[in-house]
């Protein structure tokens, strides 16, 4: 008897009264209009102080690196697309020698990423042990050199102090 109902359809689709592709489309539009277009509300986090980076963890292995640069908040995915190390442990780059500032440099492979757009850029030149480790990481991950990171916009409601984040 148990096997007789197999293959009759998806319970979620039956309850929703439509196809699953329509449901996915409606979920994306709901996220786009979430909180008047400001994105997902982020709770339980503290904002970084000026000139610092903080790592925020969400759900199952999701992390974000949030930086405060001259009073502006920027966020980027938490792990380096090239070597998968924590970007929130990296350095903020605000040097005129780079474009699309501010940038964050991965502490392991030294690849830089724009905090505004997530686009990868030239690596930071490091010396000593950090330079040695960075060169090893570059050699081990040379095929992923052109991967960009996901950037997020951060907004804070002036009245309530609520923090919102959405993908750019």
């Amino acid at each position: 008897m148990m096997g007789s109902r197999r293959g009759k359809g998806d319970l979620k689709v039956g309850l929703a009264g439509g196809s699953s592709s329509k449901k996915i489309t409606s979920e994306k539009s709901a996220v786009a209009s979430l909180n008047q277009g400001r994105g997902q509300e982020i709770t339980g986090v503290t904002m970084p102080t000026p000139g610092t980076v903080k790592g925020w963890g969400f759900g199952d292995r999701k992390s974000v690196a949030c930086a405060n640069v001259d009073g502006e908040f920027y966020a980027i995915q938490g792990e380096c697309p090239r070597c998968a190390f924590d970007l929130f442990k990296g350095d903020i780059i605000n040097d005129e020698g780079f474009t699309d500032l501010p940038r964050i440099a991965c502490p392991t492979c030294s690849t830089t990423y724009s905090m505004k757009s997530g686009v990868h850029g030239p690596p930071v030149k490091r010396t000593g042990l950090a330079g040695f480790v960075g060169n090893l990481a570059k050699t081990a991950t040379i095929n992923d050199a052109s991967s960009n990171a996901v950037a997020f916009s951060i907004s804070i409601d002036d009245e309530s102090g609520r923090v919102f984040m959405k993908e750019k």
Side-chain angles (χ1 to χ4, degrees), residues 43-106:
T43 59
V45 298
T46 56
M47 300 305 287
T49 57
T52 63
V53 182
K54 277 202 168 201
W56 297 338
F58 302 103
D60 188 30
R61 297 186 191 116
K62 274 284 195 200
S63 64
V64 173
C66 181
N68 182 340
V69 181
D70 300 327
E72 292 287 324
F73 293 101
Y74 301 93
I76 195 165
Q77 74 183 50
E79 59 281 335
C80 176
R82 186 168 188 191
C83 69
F85 197 75
D86 297 327
L87 283 176
F88 71 89
K89 295 179 182 177
D91 301 318
I92 297 174
I93 307 295
N94 226 358
D95 188 4
E96 295 299 322
F98 290 89
T99 58
D100 199 12
L101 297 174
R103 302 187 76 77
I104 190 163
C106 176

Side-chain angles (χ1 to χ4, degrees), residues 15-37:
L15 293 175
S19 70
S20 59
S21 64
K22 288 181 185 176
K23 185 176 179 184
I24 291 170
T25 304
S26 66
E27 286 175 0
K28 286 182 180 179
S29 64
V31 170
S33 64
L34 189 65
N35 295 314
Q36 293 83 33

Side-chain angles (χ1 to χ4, degrees), residues 112-135:
T112 61
Y113 298 93
S114 168
M115 294 296 288
K116 292 180 182 177
S117 63
V119 174
H120 74 284
V124 172
K125 296 192 186 322
R126 295 194 169 137
T127 59
L129 183 59
F132 176 74
V133 170
N135 286 334

